[in-house]
């Protein structure tokens, strides 16, 4: 399988190269040249397999330049012994008509682990394969969960360094503590005075700066990305859509070939895009419902074809979805139009004017599969409370956005009888303040750790290890910078020992 850029056909490469580079030289994203097809028999054959075995089957279709042994090694180090607190890694929890795909059983209690446990292994396997001797410096802009998951995945990974930028007031206290206490000889964490888009734009500008790249090359360092634009981030996410389907088959909710719907709480459009890939590969998916919060730029786009980032930015109780530029949408546009020229044009308009509009045909094609809506903070909290009362199950805020929007979809489309899977992206413990408030619990005066205990009392679910141990962990990273200073901090870290 070969990969090319969404913005031009000049660079064709293998997956190992695409993973090392992160972003194509023309600023585009790497995309596979085709969608490998998976038959119904092959999907049914996943049923008796472990998550790791399912992962190797799906990954090997895209990562054809990796040997099976290499993939097995990467996968077992990523998802194997002791890292995940669920036997099935990504279990589907069925409660009547409600099917929840839980993607937060990894070390940082959020779905980013599904990809970020695997990406560093794919990368460190790729480096010697491609004869790269340089050190790879991973730059990450995070709205919260990516940062910690990337740090956890890359800490002490050979031949790599990782630097994470997060918006100073844009992440929860628990998320901040998770990052600031990160150990490892090759890690740095930096607060940016601004919002997530400032941090992300800063990182993108650094990636696009050729002079800076040369300066770093002089230090024997090259940049790469662990953001969801890296192909090595996206491809692991395709696995759990197949895995969920296999689990629904196993529990008898569906018969082989029956279509299902997914509702995905969406920010950067990576998670839901992976579902699109699964569909294109032959997974029986009927609708993909894109759930947003008040930063509903995607709702508008999927309804009207207008992508307009020039709008107010809201801080919500779902900070991992507080995003106005959904980078991975570019890949969808490429696959739908099969035109790097069109995509390059729209991305240029977005960069220059903050807005673009796709043609009718493109919009129609997208709308055949996608549906979109959003939920306000008030609706989200009400949903958490409702689900708790109905099923004695506590959802995190992001998951509740999806559950609420799944409900809106059901009301708008009563004729659609497909089972709906709500994708659950974080443990409720990661956003315990908002969750407890939603459940009507008094939280005034309680610190983060008392909140964990309180939620434990109510839900009866174990407190994830990674969060429990933050009580005693030492803060190791204290740096903060202006958005304009990001480049200097990168250079300083790159040249440090
Ligand atoms: C990252 C994240 C999302 C959004 O996923 P995208 O792939 O960026 O669309 C949703 N929920 C949580 C908890 C996340 O961490």
């Amino acid at each position: 399988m070969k990969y090319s850029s969404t913005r031009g056909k000049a660079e064709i490469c293998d997956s190992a190269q695409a993973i090392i580079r992160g972003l194509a030289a023309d600023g585009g994203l790497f995309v596979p040249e085709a969608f490998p097809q998976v038959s119904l028999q092959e999907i049914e054959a996943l049923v008796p397999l472990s998550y790791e075995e399912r992962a190797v089957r799906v990954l090997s279709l895209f990562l054809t330049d990796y040997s099976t042994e290499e993939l097995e090694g990467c996968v077992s180090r990523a998802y194997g012994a002791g890292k995940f607190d669920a036997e099935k890694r990504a279990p589907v929890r069925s409660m009547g008509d409600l099917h929840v795909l839980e993607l937060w059983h990894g070390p940082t209690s959020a779905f980013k682990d599904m990809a970020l446990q695997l990406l560093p292994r794919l990368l460190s396997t790729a480096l010697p394969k491609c004869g790269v001797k340089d050190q790879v410096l991973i730059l990450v802009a995070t709205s919260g969960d990516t940062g910690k998951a990337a740090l956890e995945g890359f800490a002490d990974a050979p031949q790599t360094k990782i630097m994470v930028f997060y918006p100073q007031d844009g992440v929860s206290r628990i998320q901040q503590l998770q990052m600031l206490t990160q150990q490892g000889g090759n890690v740095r964490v930096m607060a940016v005075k601004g919002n997530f888009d400032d941090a992300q734009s800063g990182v993108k500008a650094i990636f696009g700066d050729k002079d800076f790249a040369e300066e770093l090359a002089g230090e024997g360092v090259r940049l790469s990305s662990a953001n969801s634009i890296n192909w090595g981030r996206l491809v692991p996410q395709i696995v759990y859509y197949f895995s969920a389907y296999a689990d629904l088959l196993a529990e008898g909710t569906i018969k082989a070939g029956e279509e299902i719907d997914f509702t995905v709480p969406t920010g950067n459009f990576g998670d839901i895009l992976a579902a699109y890939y699964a569909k294109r590969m032959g997974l029986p998916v009927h609708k993909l419902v894109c759930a947003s919060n008040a930063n509903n730029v995607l709702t508008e786009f999927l309804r009207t074809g207008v992508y307009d980032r020039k709008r107010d930015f809201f801080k919500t109780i779902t900070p991992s979805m507080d995003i106005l530029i959904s980078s991975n949408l570019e890949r969808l546009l490429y696959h739908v139009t099969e035109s790097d020229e069109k995509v390059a044009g729209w991305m240029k308009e977005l960069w220059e004017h903050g807005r673009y509009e796709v043609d009718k045909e493109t919009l129609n094609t997208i709308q055949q599969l996608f549906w979109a809506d959003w939920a306000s903070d008030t609706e989200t909290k009400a949903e958490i409370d409702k689900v708790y009362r109905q099923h004695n199950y506590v959802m995190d805020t992001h998951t509740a956005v999806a559950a609420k929007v799944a409900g809106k979809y059901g009301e708008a489309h009563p004729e659609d009888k497909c089972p709906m899977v709500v994708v659950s992206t974080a443990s409720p413990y990661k956003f315990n303040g908002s969750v407890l408030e939603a459940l009507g619990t008094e939280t005034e005066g309680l610190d983060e750790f008392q909140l964990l205990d309180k939620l434990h009392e109510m839900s009866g679910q174990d407190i994830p290890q990674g969060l429990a141990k933050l009580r005693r962990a030492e803060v190791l990273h204290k740096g903060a910078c202006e958005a304009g200073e990001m480049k200097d901090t990168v250079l300083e870290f790159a040249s440090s020992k």
Side-chain angles (χ1 to χ4, degrees):
M1 178 75 68
K2 296 288 181 188
Y3 293 78
S4 66
S5 164
T6 49
R7 299 190 198 174
K9 298 239 180 319
E11 300 174 80
I12 307 285
C13 64
D14 289 326
S15 71
Q17 274 292 347
I19 288 168
I20 291 173
R21 308 247 301 276
L23 208 63
D26 58 16
L29 279 57
F30 286 110
V31 278
E33 278 186 328
F35 292 102
Q37 294 302 300
V38 180
S39 70
L40 210 48
Q41 285 86 336
E42 288 168 315
I43 293 172
E44 287 185 270
L46 298 175
V47 171
L49 304 187
S50 68
Y51 189 82
E52 287 90 318
E53 291 166 326
R54 292 172 182 177
V56 171
R57 296 257 171 120
V58 174
L59 294 171
S60 63
L61 300 171
F62 285 107
L63 309 181
T64 48
D65 50 330
Y66 288 68
S67 69
T68 307
E69 294 69 40
E70 284 172 335
L71 289 178
E72 283 168 353
C74 290
V75 161
S76 74
R77 273 171 277 147
Y79 304 119
K83 291 227 160 178
F84 280 66
D85 67 7
E87 173 81 30
K88 293 190 142 186
R89 312 309 182 222
V92 175
R93 182 148 174 157
S94 291
M95 295 161 275
D97 286 346
L98 177 64
H99 308 283
V100 180
L101 171 57
E102 294 182 346
L103 300 179
W104 40 262
H105 290 281
T108 76
S109 310
F111 104 94
K112 303 288 193 292
D113 289 329
M114 300 305 301
L116 279 166
Q117 279 301 310
L118 189 56
L119 172 68
R121 278 89 201 169
L122 294 176
L123 178 62
S124 50
T125 306
L127 291 171
K129 270 172 114 59
C130 299
V132 176
K133 302 237 158 39
D134 287 347
Q135 196 166 46
V136 173
L137 171 52
I138 304 294
L139 292 186
V140 180
T142 182
S143 56
D145 291 326
T146 308
K148 176 61 179 180
L151 289 163
E152 192 68 40
F154 278 99
D156 293 326
Q159 227 181 315
T160 69
K161 278 183 172 180
I162 175 163
M163 185 157 192
V164 171
F165 294 96
Y166 72 95
Q168 191 160 41
D169 300 315
V171 301
S172 80
R173 179 69 188 143
I174 284 267
Q175 288 177 323
Q176 194 182 23
L177 266 180
Q178 280 187 305
M179 290 190 279
L180 298 187
T181 57
Q182 180 65 46
Q183 297 181 336
N186 62 340
V187 307
R188 172 114 4 136
V189 181
M190 188 66 63
V192 176
K193 295 169 189 167
N195 64 30
F196 171 66
D197 286 318
D198 295 322
Q200 175 156 270
S201 300
V203 166
K204 278 198 164 178
I206 293 172
F207 278 124
D209 186 335
K210 296 213 169 67
D211 294 339
F212 189 59
E214 267 175 39
E215 201 174 340
L216 290 176
E219 306 274 348
V221 173
R222 65 164 79 188
L223 295 178
S224 191
S225 143
N227 275 4
S228 61
I229 49 181
N230 190 308
W231 174 246
R233 268 287 297 279
L234 192 63
V235 69
Q237 300 185 340
I238 302 170
V239 176
Y240 49 73
Y241 289 102
F242 281 93
S243 179
Y245 192 89
D247 284 345
L248 289 175
L249 277 177
E251 70 177 32
T253 297
I254 52 171
K255 296 202 171 53
E258 208 178 320
E259 290 188 318
I260 60 175
D261 299 325
F262 287 100
T263 301
V264 187
T266 298
N268 231 336
F269 210 76
D271 200 0
I272 196 167
L273 183 74
Y276 171 79
Y277 274 67
K279 160 87 177 171
R280 293 288 305 261
M281 294 165 72
L283 191 71
V285 174
H286 176 63
K287 274 285 167 193
L288 295 177
V289 177
C290 175
S292 298
N293 63 22
N295 296 298
N296 51 13
V297 62
L298 284 168
T299 310
E300 184 178 279
F301 173 73
L302 292 169
R303 287 181 182 177
T304 67
V306 175
Y307 195 100
D308 189 355
R309 68 155 304 194
K310 293 171 295 161
R311 56 177 66 223
D312 291 338
F313 177 81
F314 299 103
K315 272 199 198 182
T316 70
I317 57 172
T318 45
S320 299
M321 298 157 68
D322 287 346
I323 285 174
L324 293 182
I325 299 185
S326 297
S327 311
N328 264 302
L329 187 59
E330 182 171 343
R331 282 192 169 106
L332 177 68
L333 295 176
Y334 177 82
H335 292 306
V336 168
T337 62
E338 295 180 351
S339 165
D340 47 285
E341 273 166 45
K342 274 190 183 176
V343 173
W346 291 326
M347 292 305 122
K348 189 159 176 277
E349 281 176 47
L350 181 64
W351 181 255
E352 286 171 2
H353 310 293
R355 180 187 189 279
Y356 63 88
E357 179 168 7
V358 300
D359 51 273
K360 269 270 157 331
E361 199 191 332
T362 301
L363 180 62
N364 284 342
T365 310
I366 292 174
Q367 285 177 339
Q368 281 165 23
L369 180 59
F370 288 87
W371 192 86
D373 208 336
W374 65 285
S376 68
D377 281 357
T378 311
E379 289 176 314
T380 301
K381 285 186 185 168
E383 186 71 15
I384 292 174
D385 192 47
K386 187 184 115 190
V387 172
Y388 179 61
R389 281 165 205 284
Q390 275 179 355
H391 301 290
N392 201 27
Y393 178 75
V394 180
M395 285 180 165
D396 106 284
T397 48
H398 303 75
T399 309
V401 166
K404 178 68 194 176
V405 170
K408 291 186 184 192
Y409 173 76
E411 280 163 26
H413 292 275
E415 79 289 352
D416 179 355
K417 302 280 186 249
C418 299
M420 171 64 81
V421 177
V422 171
V423 175
S424 176
T425 49
S427 154
Y429 284 104
K430 270 206 105 163
F431 300 94
N432 49 39
S434 304
V435 169
L436 281 165
E437 248 174 61
L439 297 173
T441 310
E442 189 52 65
T443 56
E444 184 121 352
L446 299 182
D447 71 22
E448 289 280 348
F449 298 106
Q450 290 166 321
L451 293 177
L452 288 180
D453 292 336
K454 191 101 187 176
L455 188 54
H456 176 65
E457 274 168 38
M458 289 199 68
S459 72
Q461 270 174 254
D462 290 339
I463 301 177
Q465 267 304 312
L467 298 180
K469 75 179 185 213
L470 287 178
R471 282 177 216 261
R472 296 173 304 275
E474 185 191 348
V475 171
L476 302 170
H477 304 271
K478 300 198 169 114
C481 70
E482 303 288 342
E485 297 168 343
M486 288 169 62
K487 208 155 92 178
D488 296 336
T489 66
V490 171
L491 187 60
E492 190 264 318
F493 179 53
S495 45
S496 70
K497 272 280 152 248

